[in-house]
Amino acid sequence: MRSGITSRARRALGEDIGIRRAGVRDTKRLTRLVRASRAYEGPYAPMVAGYRVGHDYVETHRVFAAVGETTDRLLGFYSLILDPPEIDLMFVADDVQGAGIGRLLIGHLRDEARGAGLSEVRIVSHPPAEGFYTGVGARRAGTVRAAPPAVMWDRPELVLPVG
């Protein structure tokens, strides 16, 4: 598998990183990662305050977790919906952002999407994450308007080529 993890990050983490399919046993950790994300502080906090990644979610969606290979520490995850093709969730633990975990997850996502016969994947991005997605090759496709009370702000819509 292609690795975007820097050698500096690998040393800091003290282990190699792998990506595996998330399962029911991961749901509490996935939920904690979502709710603890600093990207959702302040005005964005209500969006994740009661959010839960449940057993049914990981059983019915393609959810993949980046984990430390010796500790099984959850470093990040994504969820890919195939029909229509879209990234539903993507989170990286705050303390490892900038270490290449997100890029590693995007590389894995591209491989999964390509293997499923997709040519591109839609992303409705959290506004502060738009720069990350454009940095990995996504292009702006539009704006998804706020939908109160669930989402109180407009969000960038992007398309990520997978080929």
Side-chain angles (χ1 to χ4, degrees):
M1 167 187 344
R2 295 177 303 203
S3 176
I5 304 298
T6 65
S7 58
R8 186 178 125 258
R10 215 178 252 115
R11 283 191 305 276
L13 294 169
E15 62 185 322
D16 285 331
I17 306 340
I19 296 181
R20 63 168 173 75
R21 186 84 184 245
V24 170
R25 67 184 176 92
D26 297 307
T27 57
K28 287 182 182 177
R29 295 189 308 161
L30 297 171
T31 297
R32 276 194 303 271
L33 185 59
V34 170
R35 289 184 183 176
S37 174
R38 284 193 318 256
Y40 283 88
E41 291 178 334
Y44 300 117
M47 183 74 179
V48 297
Y51 197 86
R52 181 179 154 273
V53 180
H55 294 184
D56 55 336
Y57 188 86
V58 297
E59 289 173 343
T60 58
H61 292 82
R62 290 178 179 227
V63 182
F64 293 91
V67 295
E69 292 204 343
T70 56
T71 62
D72 198 43
R73 176 181 172 215
L74 178 64
L75 303 168
F77 76 97
Y78 75 87
S79 174
L80 173 64
I81 296 173
L82 297 180
D83 189 21
E86 183 171 356
I87 296 176
D88 189 41
L89 298 170
M90 184 168 174
F91 284 85
V92 173
D94 291 335
D95 66 327
V96 295
Q97 288 186 9
I101 304 296
R103 288 183 180 276
L104 182 68
L105 288 168
I106 289 292
H108 187 273
L109 178 139
R110 280 187 159 125
D111 291 343
E112 284 292 312
R114 197 175 309 107
L118 304 177
S119 60
E120 60 186 26
V121 175
R122 178 179 184 241
I123 304 165
V124 177
S125 176
H126 180 50
E130 181 178 10
F132 166 76
Y133 289 118
T134 58
V136 296
R139 66 182 186 281
R140 184 78 184 249
T143 300
V144 175
R145 298 286 170 215
V151 181
M152 302 299 289
W153 58 89
D154 293 347
R155 294 167 293 157
E157 179 180 20
L158 303 114
V159 175
L160 178 71
V162 298

